[in-house]
Amino acid sequence: MIKGKKSLKGKTPSRRKFFKAAAATGVAAVAASSLAAPAVAAERVEAAMVATWPRDFPGLGTGAQRFAKQLSDMSDGRIQVTYYASGERVKAFDSFDEVASGNSQMYHAADYYWVKKHPAFGYFTAVPFGFTYSEINAWIHHAGGQALWDELTDDFGTQSFICGNTGVQMGGWFNKKIRSANDLKGLKMRIPGLGGQVIGKLGGSPISLPGGQIYENLVSGAIDATEWVGPWNDEAMKFHEAAKYYYYPGMHEPGSMLACGVNKSWFTSLTKSDQTLIKTCCAWADEITMAEYNAKNGAALARLVNDHGVKLEKFNDKVYDAFAKGAAEVYDEVQQHSDLAARTHAAFVKGRKEIGAWTNLSDSPYIQQRNRALGL
Ligand code: CA
């Protein structure tokens, strides 16, 4: 033991220090044992979790269900989360009010569904020309993002944590080629959040629909185009039966962060230990969900193209430049909404510059060079 300490610290602790440490440890041990009793008798926690996703929907639904189960497993069943998919307790887009009011304790959703309550919510899922998965995690966890998110949700009596990510999303499904911004004029497209507002600036009609209602609207012609997520999720939706052209990359959601929202009064009534357990489980779900998307998107893309005859198309520079112009107009309006919206936007722009500077020098050129040199 002493030898081990020596090798760690480079010198043997003096006897005085040793006894002082032993005494302190003894006190700590007594204190810990006296505190141990309430921990053993920790209360059972029951929570209802509503979600914006259809039951068992790949990635989004299954990821949320896996998160609810993991909370129970991590607490040996002491924390019981009853999970309700969209429509099972409330409609998808009523999830926020359900939790803010305290009727349910938790939701799993994308917080940009709540942009009509406050435009800053957009920044906490994905915004046009925004962060990738690794960038947004850097911003939320280590560059002030969570504090702004907390400030935003506090007004509603909720709090949100990262609880998943879809990665870069595809640009969407269209029945005609999009060669310039003119081709977006009059287009009725399912595209939520600030990305939808960009399409609006370019003359399109953005529509927000929960996932479970997109297919029927696309098939009936009630909408002309839609975005959803990426190959793995879009294949499950069977959009290829109703639209032919599959565009990439999406400017609107470069790394969509999924959220676990909690009723704040309920959450803060929990022990620190349970609060930490829930937050840790959220971070776990974030990583596992992203890994699953990355593992499954490639094979799904190959099936869409090879088995279903989907035409892959890349947005050209002209269209992307128009998106950028539309996004600038949307951001001007967002900043005028409120002090919090302006501060959130400023923090986003700062983060994109600073965090993005590293992406520019690391992931982006590395992938380009790897693929070029190996002909991938
Ligand atoms: Ca989407």
Side-chain angles (χ1 to χ4, degrees):
M1 183 178 163
I2 297 293
K3 194 177 174 188
K5 283 199 173 187
K6 187 179 179 183
S7 68
L8 279 174
K9 304 221 172 187
K11 62 176 184 180
T12 306
S14 70
R15 277 185 67 80
R16 176 178 292 206
K17 275 187 183 164
F18 176 81
F19 283 116
K20 199 173 169 188
T25 309
V27 170
V30 170
S33 70
S34 65
L35 287 173
V40 171
E43 280 182 28
R44 184 180 165 87
V45 174
E46 291 184 356
M49 180 180 217
V50 292
T52 51
W53 326 116
R55 182 161 286 276
D56 296 331
F57 190 83
L60 302 169
T62 55
Q65 290 161 224
R66 182 167 52 201
F67 165 72
K69 181 178 180 300
Q70 183 77 356
L71 266 183
S72 171
D73 290 351
M74 283 172 76
S75 62
D76 256 343
R78 193 175 52 74
I79 299 178
Q80 279 296 325
V81 178
T82 307
Y83 178 86
Y84 299 93
S86 64
E88 292 180 358
R89 187 171 167 105
V90 290
K91 289 180 187 165
F93 289 166
D94 291 335
S95 298
F96 186 87
D97 291 341
E98 171 76 1
V99 171
S101 70
N103 283 337
S104 293
Q105 289 70 44
M106 310 170 84
Y107 68 73
H108 194 279
D111 267 6
Y112 73 167
Y113 285 141
W114 329 128
V115 288
K116 283 185 181 159
K117 294 182 185 297
H118 198 296
F121 273 113
Y123 294 87
F124 300 102
T125 299
V127 288
F129 295 87
F131 294 120
T132 62
Y133 166 72
S134 57
E135 290 173 340
I136 202 164
N137 280 19
W139 187 60
I140 294 290
H141 288 306
H142 296 288
Q146 184 70 53
L148 283 163
W149 203 2
D150 289 348
E151 189 178 341
L152 170 64
T153 53
D154 206 44
D155 281 347
F156 299 91
T158 65
Q159 191 170 11
S160 289
F161 307 108
I162 305 179
C163 198
N165 199 299
T166 66
V168 180
Q169 299 205 356
M170 290 290 284
W173 296 84
F174 300 83
N175 265 314
K176 64 175 186 181
K177 289 203 174 182
I178 306 298
R179 295 188 175 92
S180 74
N182 269 341
D183 294 320
L184 296 166
K185 288 208 165 75
L187 197 79
K188 285 177 287 181
M189 181 172 183
R190 184 272 178 190
I191 174 167
L194 299 184
Q197 293 179 26
V198 173
I199 296 298
K201 292 292 178 198
L202 301 181
S205 301
I207 293 160
S208 194
L209 287 171
Q213 293 172 28
I214 303 173
Y215 177 81
E216 65 200 54
N217 279 281
L218 191 61
V219 169
S220 73
I223 55 173
D224 305 310
T226 187
E227 69 79 53
W228 176 232
V229 182
W232 179 41
N233 277 181
D234 293 7
E235 179 191 35
M237 290 291 226
K238 299 192 183 301
F239 293 144
H240 52 269
E241 294 177 358
K244 184 174 169 189
Y245 299 109
Y246 196 20
Y247 269 86
Y248 74 96
M251 57 84 193
H252 60 302
E253 295 189 63
S256 296
M257 191 166 73
L258 309 175
C260 168
V262 295
N263 177 283
K264 198 165 181 188
S265 303
W266 167 78
F267 187 71
T268 51
S269 75
L270 302 176
T271 61
K272 281 280 175 210
S273 163
D274 282 352
Q275 292 179 32
T276 304
L277 195 150
I278 290 170
K279 287 197 278 188
T280 304
C281 195
C282 286
W284 170 86
D286 179 38
E287 179 184 336
I288 292 295
T289 306
M290 185 70 262
E292 191 171 15
Y293 275 97
N294 282 333
K296 293 181 174 170
N297 268 331
L301 182 63
R303 285 192 298 272
L304 285 170
V305 172
N306 300 329
D307 302 346
H308 299 295
V310 166
K311 306 270 185 224
L312 263 188
E313 298 284 344
K314 189 176 182 181
F315 285 127
N316 63 35
D317 290 354
K318 224 164 65 174
V319 172
Y320 242 77
D321 290 347
F323 285 152
K325 197 163 164 279
E329 289 176 37
V330 169
Y331 284 134
D332 279 347
E333 290 173 6
V334 168
Q335 291 173 82
Q336 285 163 25
H337 173 273
S338 56
D339 170 63
L340 178 58
R343 283 188 290 117
T344 305
H345 181 76
F348 155 71
V349 169
K350 184 169 180 278
R352 184 175 59 185
K353 189 176 178 192
E354 292 177 1
I355 299 164
W358 175 239
T359 313
N360 288 345
L361 225 73
S362 55
D363 293 26
S364 303
Y366 166 68
I367 295 294
Q368 279 177 9
Q369 287 291 38
R370 181 185 72 181
N371 293 354
R372 183 200 58 78
L374 302 180
L376 296 172

